[in-house]
Amino acid sequence: RGAGVQSRPGERSEMELRFSPRGLEVLSLAGFRAERPESRQICTEDLLAALLEAGGVPQSVLRVIFGVEPRLIALRQPSADPLEFTREALRALEFAVEEHTRLGRLPGMDPGITPAHLMLGLCRTKSGQRSLGWLGLSPQEVRLEVLEVLAYMP
């Protein structure tokens, strides 16, 4: 279950209750990506790569509007040791919660924090802004495009 999303059998963790199924998929993909020998932490770059891989609004905005090609993520089975989020990745999750509170349930989407909320949260962190900058993208432009796409959803 990557990304430290662990609970007792039959129970859902607080994180699972707050995130939509697609949001949890992004966190799981980020956890799988973070399974590398040099680090046992999920960073904002892992979240960004997972958003590119998982599909949905963030992938559409980054691929179609900005022409970013997703990197292939080699999925591996997570280890028994839970991964931790870096301080900046946790901040991105906190910002995603704020975005969810501000925007509420997005039209046509599952309740809970979605990949779109995660992308908006990532755009607000220094590390996320730096990662987008490496791709030649302005975090402000990415944020505006995500919000614009969401405004046109049924």
Side-chain angles (χ1 to χ4, degrees):
R1 283 165 64 111
V5 181
Q6 298 179 352
S7 57
R8 293 185 192 119
E11 290 183 14
R12 293 180 69 193
S13 70
E14 181 179 342
M15 184 180 292
E16 289 173 306
L17 293 172
R18 294 192 81 162
F19 284 79
S20 72
R22 295 290 308 258
L24 288 171
E25 178 185 348
V26 169
L27 296 180
S28 183
L29 284 170
F32 287 131
R33 186 177 187 285
E35 288 275 333
R36 53 189 178 267
E38 68 274 8
S39 174
R40 298 283 307 141
Q41 292 187 312
I42 299 167
C43 63
T44 55
E45 289 83 3
D46 297 322
L47 289 173
L48 179 58
L51 286 164
L52 280 164
E53 182 74 15
V57 172
Q59 185 190 58
S60 296
V61 166
L62 294 172
R63 288 190 77 189
V64 176
I65 296 173
F66 294 106
V68 175
E69 287 298 321
R71 295 180 184 160
L72 296 177
I73 300 173
L75 296 180
R76 294 174 283 216
Q77 291 298 317
S79 69
D81 299 328
L83 295 171
E84 295 180 3
F85 289 92
T86 63
R87 186 172 296 138
E88 277 288 293
L90 281 173
R91 192 73 182 130
L93 297 180
E94 291 170 0
F95 284 141
V97 171
E98 288 179 15
E99 294 291 345
H100 178 262
T101 301
R102 190 173 65 79
L103 296 172
R105 182 175 178 179
L106 299 172
M109 295 191 162
D110 293 328
I113 298 163
T114 66
H117 294 116
L118 288 168
M119 184 78 244
L120 293 171
L122 191 65
C123 287
R124 292 174 58 186
T125 67
K126 288 181 178 161
S127 180
Q129 293 167 1
R130 199 170 35 251
S131 296
L132 289 167
W134 290 332
L135 295 171
L137 304 176
S138 158
Q140 295 81 10
E141 288 179 21
V142 170
R143 180 179 174 74
L144 289 174
E145 290 294 342
V146 168
L147 291 171
E148 188 171 320
V149 169
L150 292 174
Y152 287 103
M153 293 186 73

